Amino acid sequence: MVEGAARQALLNAASGADLLVVGARRRDGHVGLQLGLVNHAVLHHAPCPIVVVPQI
């Protein structure tokens, strides 16, 4: 467990990772995945590849 902002914790973890896996929601009435602020920041700033896994 890590204390602090989720965005910073994920980016810190990504700095030593080969791959970062994050989740995304599907919302009723919307096409595609809904990415939040944390996922958006990780996708743009992580130094490793990112996999976005949709909620089933």
Side-chain angles (χ1 to χ4, degrees):
M1 180 161 38
V2 177
E3 269 190 57
R7 178 177 74 167
Q8 192 58 50
L10 287 169
L11 290 173
N12 288 344
S15 67
D18 293 327
L19 178 71
L20 185 65
V21 180
V22 296
R25 301 178 199 216
R26 294 185 190 273
R27 294 199 179 143
D28 293 335
H30 290 91
V31 176
L33 298 176
Q34 303 297 307
L35 299 179
L37 294 175
V38 172
N39 279 354
H40 184 79
V42 168
L43 285 170
H44 285 279
H45 300 291
C48 66
I50 309 297
V51 174
V52 179
V53 179
Q55 177 183 2
I56 297 176

